[in-house]
Amino acid sequence: MKSTMTKLLSALVATGMVAAAHAADLKIGVAEALSGGAAQYGAAIKNGFQLAADEINASGGINGNKLVLQIEDEQGKKEEAINVFKKLIFQDKVLMVFGPTLSNSAQAADPIAQAGKTVAFGTSNTADGITSIGDFIFRNSVTEADVLPETIKVAAKHTGIKKVAVLYGNDDVFTKSGYDNFKKALEDLKIPVTTTETFAKGDVDFKAQLTKIKASNPDAIVLSALIAEGAPIMVQARQLGINVPFIGGNGMNSVKIFDLAKGSSDGLWVGSPWSIENNTPANTKFIAAYKAKYNVAPDQFAAQSYDAMYIAAGAIKNVKISGNLDADRKALRDALPKVTHDGATGKFAFRQAMGKGGKPAGYDAQQAPIVSVTKGGKYVIEK
């Protein structure tokens, strides 16, 4: 005679409820700067993740499993990023971690993920060397080394730039890496530098540096900055009568420039795989969905996090979730490099980075940049 439990299981199998009972929440860590100066990026990044996760869950989840985002504020600070990574990986036991927002924080926190054999997936850090930390480190944010030469080349083609001044933040991994890549690109393109000036994070008065730059009479200012400093630099430059173009890195590529720099935002050249003016079907769909959900236009950082969630979902779909967290994390790490995607930021694939001693390490983005310039409160694509 069958036991009561056996009869119950038989009934569940017959009704298909056993499959439902096996479905599980997929806990995904999100460590982003939701307060502090970097929140201008982090808020948009969080929105992109949430929009994608909601869409995926509404369409049935991943193999019947629902995505659940465990969101933490790392405040744009290295120490907080480390603490948040430890919490998500060892306490909350997430399958993987997205973030952190800034390159500084990634260099500090990503080794925690590598040691914990948990994927850390960056969507906004672009400084050199981050993916060399190890084979659990991924990003879909295209490196400054890939983007900046093309940005300068296109800007020079359209504006006739012959010589430039350089201004960069000298106390931040991202802005220093941007400077290094700008310097190399300018040397390769044989564009001379009239003067090189520096500033520090948190500075608010840039008139001394800009006065020296004005005296050197450049045709453009190459600027490696986060938007918190970059926007007032543009405002103060225009106040001093410096009306030459700015060529910026990843940190300046945000619609926030139109709010923060207001009437001084024109003439900023930036490069990114994403543009709000790129009218592909996938991007048009993303922009419409984002505006409908958040009542504001998305930026590059929202687009990259949105695509990143779909890239991760593509890998998770090919992983047989066993419930053994260590095994599931390793299986996800093995599945991710094979994923390709065609989303809001265009066609995407991973390429492997090299670590110390030339050994294979983590994975960078393989994508072509789009170069845009700000005109009349919007980004205009130039080729």
Side-chain angles (χ1 to χ4, degrees):
M1 179 180 289
K2 292 182 177 179
S3 68
T4 302
M5 183 59 72
T6 303
K7 289 178 181 178
L8 178 59
L9 284 171
S10 297
L12 289 172
V13 170
T15 58
M17 291 181 67
V18 165
H22 285 169
D25 287 346
L26 299 167
K27 287 174 65 176
I28 308 295
V30 174
E32 300 295 346
L34 304 178
S35 61
Q40 295 172 93
Y41 308 110
I45 292 168
K46 184 195 76 166
N47 288 349
F49 283 135
Q50 194 66 65
L51 176 60
D54 288 350
E55 289 178 354
I56 292 165
N57 286 337
S59 64
I62 303 173
N63 299 330
N65 299 322
K66 181 182 177 183
L67 288 170
V68 176
L69 303 187
Q70 185 80 23
I71 300 171
E72 298 286 345
D73 179 11
E74 44 86 355
Q75 302 175 33
K77 298 176 181 176
K78 292 188 287 187
E79 299 78 9
E80 284 301 317
I82 290 169
N83 291 337
V84 165
F85 264 47
K86 286 179 178 178
K87 178 181 183 295
L88 290 170
I89 293 166
F90 303 114
Q91 182 179 322
D92 298 332
K93 300 187 183 303
V94 297
L95 180 61
M96 63 172 289
V97 180
F98 282 114
T101 300
L102 300 178
S103 294
N104 259 357
S105 301
Q107 284 208 329
D110 282 0
I112 304 296
Q114 182 65 33
K117 297 192 181 306
T118 303
V119 166
F121 193 141
T123 68
S124 56
N125 33 74
T126 56
D128 294 340
I130 289 172
T131 49
S132 66
I133 289 169
D135 59 350
F136 278 83
I137 312 303
F138 291 74
R139 59 180 166 185
N140 73 326
S141 39
V142 181
T143 67
E144 297 286 75
D146 288 332
V147 172
L148 297 183
E150 185 65 17
T151 307
I152 295 172
K153 198 180 299 180
V154 174
K157 173 186 170 185
H158 286 273
T159 62
I161 292 167
K162 302 296 183 189
K163 58 187 186 302
V164 300
V166 175
L167 180 58
Y168 75 99
N170 64 358
D171 64 341
D172 181 272
V173 168
F174 162 74
T175 52
K176 285 166 71 178
S177 176
Y179 164 70
D180 290 340
N181 284 295
F182 268 133
K183 184 180 177 184
K184 183 178 186 305
L186 290 167
E187 288 171 353
D188 290 346
L189 293 168
K190 294 181 171 52
I191 297 174
V193 174
T194 61
T195 185
T196 299
E197 304 295 329
T198 65
F199 60 89
K201 195 182 290 184
D203 285 356
V204 294
D205 187 349
F206 308 94
K207 291 188 177 66
Q209 297 97 317
L210 290 169
T211 298
K212 291 179 184 177
I213 286 171
K214 183 177 182 181
S216 74
N217 196 31
D219 299 321
I221 298 173
V222 169
L223 176 64
S224 184
L226 294 168
I227 203 165
E229 289 77 35
I233 284 171
M234 289 189 69
V235 171
Q236 291 173 35
R238 302 321 185 204
Q239 289 171 346
L240 289 172
I242 305 172
N243 295 311
V244 299
F246 277 84
I247 302 172
N250 180 62
M252 294 295 290
N253 189 18
S254 171
V255 289
K256 291 284 186 184
I257 193 66
F258 304 120
D259 296 328
L260 298 176
K262 296 184 171 63
S264 301
S265 62
D266 276 7
L268 169 64
W269 292 81
V270 291
S272 164
W274 184 83
S275 169
I276 200 165
E277 301 300 327
N278 192 23
N279 298 318
T280 64
N283 195 35
T284 301
K285 175 178 174 288
F286 158 68
I287 293 167
Y290 191 95
K291 285 180 177 177
K293 187 173 180 68
Y294 301 112
N295 200 32
V296 67
D299 62 12
Q300 166 197 343
F301 303 97
Q304 287 173 177
S305 62
Y306 177 83
D307 276 2
M309 185 61 74
Y310 274 100
I311 292 165
I316 296 169
K317 185 178 179 181
N318 294 321
V319 172
K320 187 174 181 180
I321 299 296
S322 66
N324 180 325
L325 187 58
D326 289 342
D328 291 342
R329 285 171 168 174
K330 169 87 167 46
L332 173 57
R333 175 257 167 286
D334 292 343
L336 257 177
K338 305 180 185 78
V339 176
T340 58
H341 183 64
D342 194 352
T345 63
K347 291 184 178 180
F348 172 87
F350 284 111
R351 72 162 188 257
Q352 191 158 33
M354 294 294 114
K356 291 180 180 178
K359 293 181 180 179
Y363 291 83
D364 285 318
Q366 183 68 52
Q367 278 186 304
I370 297 168
V371 178
S372 303
V373 62
T374 52
K375 291 180 183 178
K378 67 177 185 177
Y379 286 98
V380 178
I381 297 173
E382 298 285 5
K383 296 180 180 178

